[in-house]
Amino acid sequence: MKADLHEILSQYEIRSYGICDFRQISSFLPCRNQEQIPEEAKSVIVCAFPYYTGEYPQANVCKYAMVPDYHYVVRRLLNQACAALSEAFSAQFVGFSDVSALPERECALASGLGFQGVNGLVIHPQYGTFFVIGEIVTDYLFPFDQPLSQTCLHCGSCVRRCPSGAIAQTGIDYSRCLSAITQQKGELSPQEQELMQKNGLIWGCDCCQNCCPHNQNLPITHLSAFSEDVVPIVNEENLSSLMKTRAFGYKGKKLLRRNLEIINRKPK
Ligand code: B12
């Protein structure tokens, strides 16, 4: 049974996954495709989609935003895998990624896909933190995997390198997270603008990931949809076309232009 699952998933470039018990999920996120979850859901196949494509010191967007929008890439692979799985197992299989009612990090930890980092992210033994999570929810009962016993090194590097001091060994203050600030609509405070200027990114933030010892010497992603189309610098010339293909597109051009204007402004 698991051999069939493995074979089908690998046909759709899914090389790493773990399975957890749907009924053990602690809570769901509101208004995120909850109605699409199979009524008698039993198992969640939690999959890792690595997006590491190398280092780009001049980049002005974070790593996941340099590559084509993972929502589309992952959804396409998951939908294809779900169609094949439904046929093979005569059950319901539905794929989600990010826009999902499931707390994806909790599922990834429970399924043994990775272990929890102080930086708030799930660390995969091969991919580090540079992978996105996609999951398949099914009413088929698969045997569950165990959480990993490995733990983050607790070296404190992410705590020290977080530009806004949002990370502590004990938890994260997401209201201060620079990734959240770059995505915030409306006018940013002078302190928030200064933070953005110092970091030089107009979308997202990778500070707590770049410095992580679990992210050193990572392999380049096997997903060609990511590795073959990397745009590390967003500017006025390419902005319009990138709005259609990158994960920041849904926020609208106005927000990205505002951020470009902030980082290009000379610091006082
Ligand atoms: C909203 C959101 C954000 C918000 C943060 C809000 C927040 N509170 O997390 C903002 C905009 C700041 C953000 C930023 C980023 N995000 Co985000 N985000 C999400 C989103 C959509 C929902 C997160 C959420 O609210 N979860 C609710 C909490 C309660 O559940 P949880 O996420 O599973 O996590 C907690 C529990 O698992 C709990 N926990 C731990 N152990 C255990 C054990 C048990 C038994 C239980 C019950 C619970 C538990 O601790 C976890 C951490 O707090 C998820 C996608 C999703 N649907 O889950 C992506 C997601 C978490 N983000 C992701 C990414 C990549 C990022 C960024 C790296 C992007 C970037 N480069 O800028 C940053 C990283 C910031 C950081 N250091 O954490 C990835 C993480 C992948 C990974 N390897 O871990 C996700 C999973 C999207 C995806 N599909 O891959 N994000």
Side-chain angles (χ1 to χ4, degrees):
M1 177 173 60
K2 261 197 153 172
D4 295 341
L5 173 67
H6 193 77
E7 198 186 313
I8 292 172
L9 292 179
S10 61
Q11 278 168 20
Y12 300 100
E13 301 188 81
I14 300 166
R15 295 185 180 173
S16 179
Y17 62 92
I19 302 175
C20 68
D21 186 347
F22 177 84
R23 293 160 296 190
Q24 291 289 313
I25 294 173
S26 62
S27 60
F28 292 89
L29 310 182
C31 307
R32 285 191 159 239
N33 293 335
Q34 198 150 2
E35 72 292 347
Q36 290 175 23
I37 296 173
E39 225 166 274
E40 298 286 313
K42 293 185 180 67
S43 320
V44 187
I45 308 165
V46 193
C47 311
F49 296 88
Y51 61 85
Y52 184 73
T53 60
E55 293 303 319
Y56 298 88
Q58 306 302 322
N60 66 0
V61 289
C62 69
K63 287 185 171 67
Y64 87 86
M66 294 180 198
V67 298
D69 189 343
Y70 74 88
H71 299 89
Y72 298 112
V73 173
V74 170
R75 199 182 304 153
R76 177 175 54 79
L77 294 171
L78 288 179
N79 286 348
Q80 289 170 345
C82 284
L85 290 167
S86 299
E87 206 176 304
F89 291 92
S90 304
Q92 267 188 284
F93 289 81
V94 186
F96 301 93
S97 183
D98 194 52
V99 191
S100 163
L102 274 65
E104 294 181 322
R105 288 174 292 193
E106 177 184 328
C107 295
L109 297 173
S111 68
L113 190 68
F115 51 96
Q116 186 164 23
V118 168
N119 63 5
L121 296 165
V122 180
I123 305 174
H124 184 280
Q126 278 89 48
Y127 309 145
T129 60
F130 290 119
F131 73 97
V132 288
I133 302 168
E135 64 279 358
I136 294 173
V137 184
T138 174
D139 49 13
Y140 193 90
L141 184 64
F142 284 103
F144 304 130
D145 292 304
Q146 291 302 311
L148 299 181
S149 55
Q150 201 178 339
T151 58
C152 154
L153 293 170
H154 290 267
C155 65
S157 180
C158 55
V159 176
R160 290 189 296 276
R161 298 287 272 278
C162 174
S164 57
I167 306 178
Q169 287 284 357
T170 46
I172 300 182
D173 176 356
Y174 285 106
S175 67
R176 284 158 71 187
C177 172
L178 184 52
S179 175
I181 293 172
T182 64
Q183 302 178 30
Q184 214 169 282
K185 288 195 171 170
E187 200 173 333
L188 299 181
S189 71
Q191 291 82 356
E192 289 170 335
Q193 296 189 33
E194 200 184 318
L195 254 176
M196 230 157 102
Q197 285 181 331
K198 282 192 181 146
N199 195 45
L201 296 187
I202 61 164
W203 185 264
C205 175
D206 286 332
C207 289
C208 65
Q209 300 193 81
N210 288 336
C211 65
C212 177
H214 297 283
N215 278 338
Q216 306 314 309
N217 305 313
L218 292 179
I220 300 293
T221 177
H222 65 278
L223 295 164
S224 51
F226 289 150
S227 61
E228 287 175 2
D229 183 6
V230 185
V231 182
I233 300 174
V234 177
N235 52 36
E236 258 314 316
E237 285 71 58
N238 61 14
L239 182 61
S240 293
S241 68
L242 290 172
M243 294 307 286
K244 299 184 199 107
T245 61
R246 307 290 133 159
F248 47 75
Y250 84 103
K251 275 282 176 168
K253 239 192 246 181
K254 201 171 149 200
L255 184 129
L256 273 295
R257 281 219 172 96
R258 176 203 69 186
N259 291 352
L260 263 178
E261 189 272 318
I262 291 173
I263 66 156
N264 289 334
R265 209 187 297 148
K266 288 229 158 36
K268 284 180 197 144

